Amino acid sequence: MERAYRSSDVRTAEEPLLAAGEPLMARAAYALSQRALKYLSSHGLRAPGSTVLLIVGRGNNGGDALYAGMHLARRGLAVRAVYYESCLEEGLEAAKAAGVRAFDLAGRDDADELLRELAAWAGIWIDGILGIGASGGARDPYANWINILNEERASSPMEPYVIAVDIPSGLGVDDGTVPGPVLRADATVAMGVAKPAHLLPPACHYVGDVDILDLDFYQYLPAPAALQLRDADVRDLWDVPGVDDHKYTRGVLGMLTGSARYPGAAVLGVGGALATGPGMVRYLGGVADAVMAQYPEVVLETGRVQAWVLGSGLDAADLDRASRIFNEALTEKIPVVLDAGAIELVHNMDVPSTVVLTPHEGEVTALLQARGEKISRDQVHANPTRAARLAATLTGATVLLKSAVDVVAAPDGPLYAGVRAPAWRATAGAGDVLAGILGALLASYGDELQELGQGYGIPARLAAAATHIHARAAAYASGVGSGVGYPISASKIVTALEPTIARILNPES
């Protein structure tokens, strides 16, 4: 499991090591230099003569970059550095002694032109402008630098390889926001631990590949601010059936989904559920013929249910029936997934965390507005983490907010970030598949959750597992492992679920 920690907690954890004389900056600088050399080697490029630009701020990130430049210059690379007025003096002197040419851009009439020339000259940029102590986005002159560098990068026939020191400059470190211009990284060397911006959207789209340099201060850290599941975590959650299991112990999922207008929502949701392995799926929606034509193993009779999925593709006229089932489930303490139009059922109702909402940005905006919040969809898009947390706090439900990187929040559990899914996943019906996966996972824990009466963080972890599986299946279906991939439909995600789950559960196969 990946754990991300707030910037203030990281700085506090570093203090005992710094007091003990641990050379944290030296270790960080060496890791940065090795990341640059690894890039050159992987692309068949010689280190001697390769070109590097250090973009240096006033703080420790700038010092890390300067000492990294020192290592690279000693290996024969041509290294230049830019800074404004001041930077870590010891690092600057060490870099110069190794052959780094440094330019103070303060007060120069040709500062912008010089920065462009140096950026165009360098094949690798090391971003050491802003660190985890910065807040509110980049300000001038650094904001101007970032804009110039982004323009140069976009116009370059051969884009430079950008390595960020700990965090790409300009990101909201603790909330994952993008409050202003950001220098997007191809790789980030994170110092000690991951920060929330490495995991949470939209910031996570700017960090590239993240290497975490272990600085041995985990024992000084409090609880993490955000979590991200790995395959091993999903495997640990999976209830692998034994010889004494049967369809009722494996979980029975009830589904009221689909309509004459949206029959595919039912078919896709049932497909997602069945591929996740419940003991039974009971389908009670209005397009049974379409569902049975695709999945004859589905049961159409009412009976025992250990979790429900309500809402995907329902007509407004079906919401009364969904409401009755929902209220009965609440009375019986059965976990429920509310998707699409059924999310309206909690616009004015408080519920336990065993209810999982799966809104997209527009639906969570409507939910929050119904709860009296003055918030726009643009604001939700800019800070989905805040929106998910707020929705969970106001309703009591677990909230899986769907976006390019899904976010899961609960009033009784930690915050989860999904893995970065391919953008090909953004296709009609993909959310219906996700609801089915989640419903099946909840059904496997249905008896336990019914007995507990509250979630105690379990639904949140299951929601995080569902989005992990869904994202991995979308990646498998779209072939992104061997390039940019290709377009997929939601049906392809369903087809990819079984091999994806097989890989998760059988990593040595």
Side-chain angles (χ1 to χ4, degrees):
M1 185 179 297
E2 192 67 78
R3 294 169 172 83
Y5 296 86
R6 295 177 182 85
S7 54
S8 59
D9 294 333
V10 171
R11 291 195 296 272
T12 299
E14 289 175 339
E15 289 175 1
L17 301 182
L18 293 170
E22 287 289 332
L24 300 186
M25 185 170 289
R27 292 167 65 181
Y30 183 75
L32 287 163
S33 68
Q34 291 303 300
R35 193 66 176 84
L37 294 171
K38 179 181 177 181
Y39 164 75
L40 295 172
S41 175
S42 67
H43 286 73
L45 302 172
R46 287 170 48 85
S50 292
T51 53
V52 179
L53 176 63
L54 314 175
I55 311 151
V56 179
R58 291 187 170 94
N60 288 337
N61 278 30
D64 293 341
L66 287 166
Y67 281 113
M70 175 193 74
H71 288 298
L72 294 171
R74 289 174 177 173
R75 292 289 299 268
L77 282 75
V79 184
R80 307 288 183 265
V82 293
Y83 64 98
Y84 189 87
E85 289 183 345
S86 65
C87 57
L88 187 72
E89 192 64 33
E90 299 90 336
L92 181 62
E93 293 305 316
K96 287 180 177 179
V100 176
R101 293 184 60 191
F103 301 86
D104 181 358
L105 300 188
R108 294 185 63 136
D109 293 335
D110 65 343
D112 290 358
E113 181 182 351
L114 178 58
L115 180 58
R116 287 191 178 92
E117 289 177 2
L118 292 170
W121 165 83
I124 296 174
W125 300 351
I126 297 181
D127 168 17
I129 304 174
L130 299 175
I132 62 173
S135 61
R139 302 173 182 83
D140 286 334
Y142 301 126
N144 180 55
W145 287 15
I146 292 170
N147 285 328
I148 290 171
L149 292 167
N150 283 334
E151 291 168 5
E152 178 59 38
R153 188 182 195 180
S155 63
S156 174
M158 293 184 65
E159 284 196 8
Y161 186 73
V162 181
I163 303 172
V165 181
D166 207 12
I167 200 81
S169 293
L171 291 181
V173 179
D174 290 335
D175 59 9
T177 58
V178 183
V182 175
L183 187 55
R184 187 189 302 269
D186 296 294
T188 296
V189 179
M191 305 309 168
V193 292
K195 318 306 183 295
H198 295 136
L199 305 184
L200 296 173
C204 63
H205 302 300
Y206 292 78
V207 300
D209 297 326
V210 179
D211 297 339
I212 298 178
L213 174 63
D214 187 1
L215 295 177
D216 302 319
F217 55 54
Y218 276 100
Q219 67 268 33
Y220 302 113
L221 289 165
L227 302 172
Q228 186 179 72
L229 299 188
R230 296 287 184 257
D231 281 1
D233 304 304
V234 176
R235 193 158 55 247
D236 289 342
L237 283 170
W238 211 276
D239 188 10
V240 177
V243 295
D244 294 324
D245 279 302
H246 50 78
K247 60 190 175 186
Y248 294 109
T249 60
R250 293 184 61 193
V252 179
L253 175 64
M255 302 188 74
L256 180 63
T257 57
S259 62
R261 293 176 63 198
Y262 305 109
V267 174
L268 290 166
V270 168
L274 287 171
T276 311
M280 183 193 301
V281 171
R282 296 186 187 276
Y283 179 72
L284 302 182
V287 287
D289 288 346
V291 171
M292 292 299 291
Q294 188 74 27
Y295 300 110
E297 60 267 62
V298 168
V299 175
L300 302 181
E301 295 294 325
T302 58
R304 181 183 178 188
V305 166
Q306 287 147 299
W308 281 99
V309 175
L310 306 174
S312 310
L314 283 183
D315 279 333
D318 297 320
L319 283 180
D320 284 344
R321 187 181 179 200
S323 179
R324 289 194 298 274
I325 292 174
F326 180 48
N327 285 318
E328 290 171 3
L330 290 177
T331 299
E332 297 173 16
K333 300 181 180 180
I334 296 172
V336 181
V337 177
L338 296 182
D339 187 42
I343 295 171
E344 295 178 13
L345 298 177
V346 297
H347 275 195
N348 297 292
M349 178 190 295
D350 294 342
V351 293
S353 62
T354 49
V355 175
V356 185
L357 314 180
T358 58
H360 56 55
E361 291 176 355
E363 290 162 346
V364 82
T365 302
L367 170 62
L368 292 173
Q369 290 174 346
R371 290 281 179 149
E373 296 295 321
K374 295 180 179 179
I375 191 169
S376 68
R377 182 165 183 163
D378 287 344
Q379 289 171 318
V380 169
H381 183 74
N383 195 343
T385 299
R386 177 180 179 272
R389 280 175 164 157
L390 187 57
T393 300
L394 292 175
T395 63
T398 299
V399 177
L400 192 171
L401 176 53
K402 297 178 290 193
S403 62
V405 169
D406 301 329
V407 176
V408 179
D412 56 2
L415 180 75
Y416 292 92
V419 295
R420 280 180 268 175
W424 302 116
R425 185 178 71 151
T427 185
D432 304 322
V433 179
L434 177 59
I437 297 168
L438 175 54
L441 292 176
L442 280 171
S444 71
Y445 279 75
D447 287 346
E448 179 181 348
L449 290 169
Q450 191 173 15
E451 183 177 344
L452 290 171
Q454 274 286 351
Y456 297 104
I458 297 171
R461 184 165 290 201
L462 294 174
T467 184
H468 180 91
I469 295 165
H470 191 260
R472 292 266 276 109
Y476 181 93
S478 61
V480 296
S482 55
V484 298
Y486 38 79
I488 56 172
S489 64
S491 298
K492 298 297 184 183
I493 300 177
V494 174
T495 303
L497 281 172
E498 288 186 0
T500 298
I501 293 170
R503 290 184 177 192
I504 291 172
L505 297 184
N506 304 278
E508 304 303 324
S509 298

